[in-house]
Protein backbone atom coordinates (compact mmCIF):
# COMPACT_ATOMS: atom_id res chain seq x y z
CA UNK A 1 0.00 0.00 0.00
CA UNK A 2 1.49 3.28 -1.15
CA UNK A 3 0.97 6.15 1.26
CA UNK A 4 1.32 9.24 -0.90
CA UNK A 5 1.85 12.62 0.82
CA UNK A 6 -0.04 15.46 -0.85
CA UNK A 7 1.62 18.79 -1.44
CA UNK A 8 -1.06 21.26 -2.49
CA UNK A 9 0.39 24.42 -4.01
CA UNK A 10 -1.22 27.83 -3.87
CA UNK A 11 0.74 31.00 -4.64
CA UNK A 12 3.98 29.01 -4.28
CA UNK A 13 3.15 27.80 -0.77
CA UNK A 14 2.11 24.42 0.64
CA UNK A 15 -1.52 24.62 1.77
CA UNK A 16 -4.58 22.51 2.52
CA UNK A 17 -8.14 23.38 1.59
CA UNK A 18 -11.42 22.27 3.11
CA UNK A 19 -13.63 20.57 0.49
CA UNK A 20 -11.77 22.30 -2.33
CA UNK A 21 -12.66 25.81 -1.14
CA UNK A 22 -9.87 28.25 -2.05
CA UNK A 23 -11.16 30.61 0.65
CA UNK A 24 -10.65 27.96 3.36
CA UNK A 25 -6.88 27.71 3.17
CA UNK A 26 -4.36 26.66 5.81
CA UNK A 27 -0.68 27.27 5.01
CA UNK A 28 1.56 24.40 6.11
CA UNK A 29 4.85 25.41 4.52
CA UNK A 30 6.53 28.25 2.68
CA UNK A 31 9.04 26.09 0.79
CA UNK A 32 7.56 23.21 -1.26
CA UNK A 33 10.94 21.63 -2.07
CA UNK A 34 11.84 21.44 1.62
CA UNK A 35 8.41 19.93 2.32
CA UNK A 36 8.94 17.33 -0.41
CA UNK A 37 12.35 16.40 1.01
CA UNK A 38 10.87 15.95 4.49
CA UNK A 39 8.30 13.40 3.25
CA UNK A 40 10.93 11.47 1.30
CA UNK A 41 13.07 11.31 4.46
CA UNK A 42 10.07 9.83 6.27
CA UNK A 43 9.76 7.01 3.76
CA UNK A 44 7.47 8.33 1.02
CA UNK A 45 7.86 6.40 -2.25
CA UNK A 46 5.64 8.72 -4.27
CA UNK A 47 4.51 12.35 -3.92
CA UNK A 48 1.20 13.87 -5.01
CA UNK A 49 1.34 17.50 -6.15
CA UNK A 50 -1.65 19.70 -6.90
CA UNK A 51 -1.39 23.07 -8.62
CA UNK A 52 -4.46 24.61 -6.99
CA UNK A 53 -4.19 27.94 -8.79
CA UNK A 54 -3.74 26.01 -12.03
CA UNK A 55 -6.82 23.89 -11.39
CA UNK A 56 -8.97 27.00 -11.18
CA UNK A 57 -7.17 28.94 -13.94
CA UNK A 58 -7.06 26.01 -16.39
CA UNK A 59 -3.32 26.30 -17.00
CA UNK A 60 -0.13 25.91 -14.89
CA UNK A 61 0.39 28.53 -12.19
CA UNK A 62 2.91 27.00 -9.76
CA UNK A 63 5.43 25.65 -12.24
CA UNK A 64 8.42 27.22 -10.49
CA UNK A 65 7.58 25.45 -7.21
CA UNK A 66 6.89 22.19 -9.05
CA UNK A 67 10.22 22.31 -10.85
CA UNK A 68 11.97 23.00 -7.53
CA UNK A 69 10.38 19.85 -6.07
CA UNK A 70 11.38 17.77 -9.09
CA UNK A 71 14.94 19.05 -8.87
CA UNK A 72 15.05 18.20 -5.16
CA UNK A 73 13.53 14.68 -5.12
CA UNK A 74 12.43 13.75 -8.65
CA UNK A 75 15.36 11.37 -9.18
CA UNK A 76 14.57 9.48 -5.95
CA UNK A 77 10.79 9.02 -5.91
CA UNK A 78 7.91 9.08 -8.36
CA UNK A 79 6.08 12.41 -8.46
CA UNK A 80 2.56 12.86 -9.80
CA UNK A 81 0.92 16.20 -10.54
CA UNK A 82 -2.58 17.45 -11.21
CA UNK A 83 -4.18 20.85 -11.66
CA UNK A 84 -4.70 22.87 -14.81
CA UNK A 85 -3.21 20.37 -17.26
CA UNK A 86 -5.22 20.85 -20.43
CA UNK A 87 -2.84 20.29 -23.36
CA UNK A 88 -0.19 17.87 -24.62
CA UNK A 89 2.58 20.50 -24.60
CA UNK A 90 2.15 21.01 -20.85
CA UNK A 91 2.30 17.24 -20.26
CA UNK A 92 5.46 16.90 -22.34
CA UNK A 93 7.12 19.83 -20.57
CA UNK A 94 6.46 18.37 -17.12
CA UNK A 95 7.52 14.84 -18.06
CA UNK A 96 10.75 16.24 -19.54
CA UNK A 97 11.34 18.02 -16.23
CA UNK A 98 11.24 14.70 -14.36
CA UNK A 99 7.58 14.22 -13.49
CA UNK A 100 6.52 10.54 -13.51
CA UNK A 101 2.73 10.86 -13.75
CA UNK A 102 0.37 13.56 -14.96
CA UNK A 103 -3.12 13.61 -13.45
CA UNK A 104 -5.94 14.74 -15.72
CA UNK A 105 -9.21 15.58 -14.00
CA UNK A 106 -11.75 18.03 -15.35
CA UNK A 107 -10.26 17.87 -18.86
CA UNK A 108 -10.77 14.08 -18.95
CA UNK A 109 -14.49 14.48 -18.33
CA UNK A 110 -15.06 17.52 -20.52
CA UNK A 111 -12.70 16.60 -23.34
CA UNK A 112 -12.23 12.82 -23.53
CA UNK A 113 -10.54 13.19 -26.91
CA UNK A 114 -7.70 15.04 -25.17
CA UNK A 115 -7.37 12.20 -22.67
CA UNK A 116 -7.19 9.66 -25.49
CA UNK A 117 -4.50 11.70 -27.23
CA UNK A 118 -2.55 11.98 -23.97
CA UNK A 119 -2.69 8.21 -23.37
CA UNK A 120 -1.54 7.58 -26.93
CA UNK A 121 1.34 10.05 -26.76
CA UNK A 122 2.44 9.41 -23.19
CA UNK A 123 1.40 5.84 -22.38
CA UNK A 124 2.20 4.77 -18.82
CA UNK A 125 2.30 8.34 -17.54
CA UNK A 126 -1.37 9.35 -17.42
CA UNK A 127 -3.56 9.08 -14.32
CA UNK A 128 -7.17 10.23 -14.23
CA UNK A 129 -8.53 11.99 -11.16
CA UNK A 130 -12.22 11.28 -10.62
CA UNK A 131 -13.76 13.50 -7.96
CA UNK A 132 -17.24 12.46 -6.93
CA UNK A 133 -20.09 12.93 -4.53
CA UNK A 134 -22.77 10.28 -4.08
CA UNK A 135 -21.37 8.38 -7.06
CA UNK A 136 -21.55 11.32 -9.49
CA UNK A 137 -18.47 12.99 -10.93
CA UNK A 138 -17.68 16.65 -10.20
CA UNK A 139 -15.58 18.99 -12.35
CA UNK A 140 -14.13 22.52 -12.30
CA UNK A 141 -12.52 22.40 -8.88
CA UNK A 142 -15.52 20.46 -7.58
CA UNK A 143 -17.84 23.40 -8.29
CA UNK A 144 -19.97 21.51 -10.84
CA UNK A 145 -21.65 18.15 -10.27
CA UNK A 146 -22.25 16.18 -13.47
CA UNK A 147 -24.62 13.30 -14.20
CA UNK A 148 -21.71 11.00 -15.04
CA UNK A 149 -21.48 7.81 -12.96
CA UNK A 150 -18.01 7.19 -11.48
CA UNK A 151 -17.85 3.51 -12.41
CA UNK A 152 -19.04 4.11 -15.97
CA UNK A 153 -16.43 6.81 -16.55
CA UNK A 154 -13.75 4.70 -14.90
CA UNK A 155 -14.40 1.86 -17.34
CA UNK A 156 -14.35 4.26 -20.28
CA UNK A 157 -11.02 5.77 -19.26
CA UNK A 158 -9.54 2.34 -18.57
CA UNK A 159 -10.25 1.50 -22.21
CA UNK A 160 -8.33 4.62 -23.24
CA UNK A 161 -5.22 3.22 -21.52
CA UNK A 162 -4.86 5.32 -18.35
CA UNK A 163 -2.35 4.02 -15.81
CA UNK A 164 -4.60 4.31 -12.75
CA UNK A 165 -7.45 6.33 -11.25
CA UNK A 166 -7.44 8.53 -8.18
CA UNK A 167 -10.88 8.45 -6.60
CA UNK A 168 -11.72 11.36 -4.31
CA UNK A 169 -14.88 11.61 -2.24
CA UNK A 170 -15.25 15.39 -2.28
CA UNK A 171 -17.74 15.39 0.56
CA UNK A 172 -14.96 14.18 2.85
CA UNK A 173 -11.83 15.85 1.49
CA UNK A 174 -9.97 17.95 4.04
CA UNK A 175 -12.57 17.12 6.69
CA UNK A 176 -10.79 14.20 8.44
CA UNK A 177 -14.07 12.31 8.09
CA UNK A 178 -12.54 8.99 7.03
CA UNK A 179 -11.93 7.47 3.60
CA UNK A 180 -15.04 6.29 1.73
CA UNK A 181 -13.72 2.75 1.50
CA UNK A 182 -16.96 1.22 0.23
CA UNK A 183 -17.14 3.52 -2.81
CA UNK A 184 -13.40 3.16 -3.48
CA UNK A 185 -13.63 -0.65 -3.46
CA UNK A 186 -16.72 -0.58 -5.67
CA UNK A 187 -14.76 1.33 -8.31
CA UNK A 188 -11.64 -0.83 -7.94
CA UNK A 189 -13.65 -4.04 -8.34
CA UNK A 190 -15.11 -2.76 -11.61
CA UNK A 191 -11.68 -2.04 -13.11
CA UNK A 192 -8.49 -3.92 -13.85
CA UNK A 193 -6.25 -0.87 -13.41
CA UNK A 194 -5.27 0.30 -9.90
CA UNK A 195 -7.33 2.78 -7.89
CA UNK A 196 -5.81 5.25 -5.45
CA UNK A 197 -8.03 6.35 -2.57
CA UNK A 198 -8.33 10.02 -1.64
CA UNK A 199 -10.43 12.34 0.47
CA UNK A 200 -10.91 12.43 4.22
CA UNK A 201 -8.04 10.23 5.48
CA UNK A 202 -8.39 10.44 9.23
CA UNK A 203 -5.89 8.17 10.94
CA UNK A 204 -4.17 4.80 11.16
CA UNK A 205 -7.51 2.95 11.21
CA UNK A 206 -8.13 4.14 7.64
CA UNK A 207 -4.72 2.84 6.56
CA UNK A 208 -5.37 -0.56 8.15
CA UNK A 209 -8.82 -0.77 6.54
CA UNK A 210 -7.37 0.09 3.12
CA UNK A 211 -4.68 -2.57 3.51
CA UNK A 212 -7.46 -5.11 3.98
CA UNK A 213 -8.86 -4.26 0.52
CA UNK A 214 -5.56 -3.84 -1.31
CA UNK A 215 -6.18 -7.12 -3.15
CA UNK A 216 -9.36 -5.61 -4.62
CA UNK A 217 -7.18 -3.22 -6.62
CA UNK A 218 -6.63 -0.33 -4.20
CA UNK A 219 -2.97 0.56 -4.80
CA UNK A 220 -2.48 3.50 -2.49
CA UNK A 221 -3.94 6.46 -0.64
CA UNK A 222 -3.38 10.21 -0.83
CA UNK A 223 -2.41 11.54 2.59
CA UNK A 224 -3.40 15.16 3.06
CA UNK A 225 -4.55 17.15 6.06
CA UNK A 226 -4.08 14.29 8.56
CA UNK A 227 -0.29 14.13 8.09
CA UNK A 228 0.01 17.90 8.47
CA UNK A 229 -2.12 18.18 11.61
CA UNK A 230 -0.48 15.16 13.24
CA UNK A 231 -3.64 13.04 13.24
CA UNK A 232 -1.60 10.49 11.26
CA UNK A 233 2.10 9.86 11.73
CA UNK A 234 3.16 9.25 8.15
CA UNK A 235 6.39 7.38 8.83
CA UNK A 236 4.89 4.87 11.26
CA UNK A 237 1.77 4.49 9.10
CA UNK A 238 3.82 3.45 6.04
CA UNK A 239 5.77 0.99 8.19
CA UNK A 240 2.49 -0.43 9.51
CA UNK A 241 1.09 -0.77 5.97
CA UNK A 242 4.22 -2.63 4.88
CA UNK A 243 3.85 -4.98 7.87
CA UNK A 244 0.24 -5.83 6.97
CA UNK A 245 0.97 -6.40 3.28
CA UNK A 246 4.71 -7.07 2.90
Amino acid sequence: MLLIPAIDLKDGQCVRLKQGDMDQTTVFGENPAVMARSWVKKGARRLHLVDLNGAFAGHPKNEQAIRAILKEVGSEVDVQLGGGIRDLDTIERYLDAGLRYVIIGTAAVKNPGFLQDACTAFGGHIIVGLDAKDGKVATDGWSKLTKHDVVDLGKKFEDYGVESIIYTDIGRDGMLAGINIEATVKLAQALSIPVIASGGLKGIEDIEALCEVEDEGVEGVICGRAIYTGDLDFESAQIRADEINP
Side-chain angles (χ1 to χ4, degrees), residues 130 136 148-157 187 191:
L130 287 181
K136 299 300 180 185
H148 293 294
D149 179 80
V150 170
V151 172
D152 289 345
L153 268 188
K155 288 178 178 177
K156 178 180 177 182
F157 296 155
L187 178 61
L191 305 175

Side-chain angles (χ1 to χ4, degrees), residues 1-5 179 196-198 201 207 210 219-223:
M1 178 66 60
L2 275 176
L3 274 59
I4 310 171
I179 293 280
I196 297 170
S198 175
L201 179 69
I207 301 299
L210 284 166
E219 176 185 50
V221 57
I222 308 294
C223 305

Side-chain angles (χ1 to χ4, degrees), residues 29-67:
E30 303 283 341
N31 189 322
V34 170
M35 183 70 75
R37 171 57 63 193
S38 72
W39 293 126
V40 173
K41 280 184 178 178
K42 290 177 181 177
R45 301 194 282 267
R46 189 187 296 192
L47 297 177
H48 175 79
L49 312 184
V50 182
D51 182 346
L52 291 171
N53 303 101
F56 284 86
H59 53 88
K61 284 287 192 177
N62 284 282
E63 191 162 345
Q64 185 176 350
I66 292 159
R67 285 179 175 273

Side-chain angles (χ1 to χ4, degrees), residues 29-235:
E30 303 283 341
N31 189 322
V34 170
M35 183 70 75
R37 171 57 63 193
S38 72
W39 293 126
V40 173
K41 280 184 178 178
K42 290 177 181 177
R45 301 194 282 267
R46 189 187 296 192
L47 297 177
H48 175 79
L49 312 184
V50 182
D51 182 346
L52 291 171
N53 303 101
F56 284 86
H59 53 88
K61 284 287 192 177
N62 284 282
E63 191 162 345
Q64 185 176 350
I66 292 159
R67 285 179 175 273
I69 290 171
L70 292 172
K71 185 177 180 181
E72 179 69 29
V73 302
S75 63
E76 300 169 50
V77 297
D78 289 338
V79 181
Q80 61 191 42
L81 166 71
I85 297 170
R86 305 281 196 272
D87 61 76
L88 298 180
D89 287 343
T90 299
I91 295 174
E92 185 172 27
R93 194 168 71 246
Y94 276 133
L95 293 180
D96 285 347
L99 196 71
R100 181 70 179 88
Y101 300 108
V102 168
I103 303 161
I104 301 175
T106 291
V109 181
K110 288 187 160 185
N111 187 2
F114 163 59
L115 179 64
Q116 273 188 302
D117 290 344
C119 289
T120 300
F122 308 107
H125 295 282
I126 306 300
I127 294 174
V128 163
L130 287 181
D131 306 325
K133 188 174 184 179
D134 301 324
K136 299 300 180 185
V137 174
T139 62
D140 299 277
W142 306 350
S143 62
K144 296 177 183 176
L145 204 60
T146 72
K147 294 180 180 178
H148 293 294
D149 179 80
V150 170
V151 172
D152 289 345
L153 268 188
K155 288 178 178 177
K156 178 180 177 182
F157 296 155
E158 178 179 30
D159 290 341
Y160 289 177
V162 302
E163 183 71 13
S164 57
I165 288 178
I166 298 172
Y167 174 73
T168 304
D169 185 318
I170 63 176
R172 301 182 183 218
D173 189 76
M175 303 301 288
L176 299 175
I179 293 280
N180 189 338
I181 291 175
E182 183 182 354
T184 305
V185 169
K186 181 183 176 184
L187 178 61
Q189 288 174 335
L191 305 175
S192 59
I193 56 173
V195 171
I196 297 170
S198 175
L201 179 69
K202 170 169 76 169
I204 192 65
E205 64 274 15
D206 278 334
I207 301 299
E208 292 174 340
L210 284 166
C211 286
E212 295 299 319
V213 298
E214 189 169 1
D215 288 346
E216 303 288 353
V218 182
E219 176 185 50
V221 57
I222 308 294
C223 305
R225 182 172 289 273
I227 59 172
Y228 289 98
T229 59
D231 289 273
L232 179 72
D233 181 280
F234 177 84
E235 192 168 8

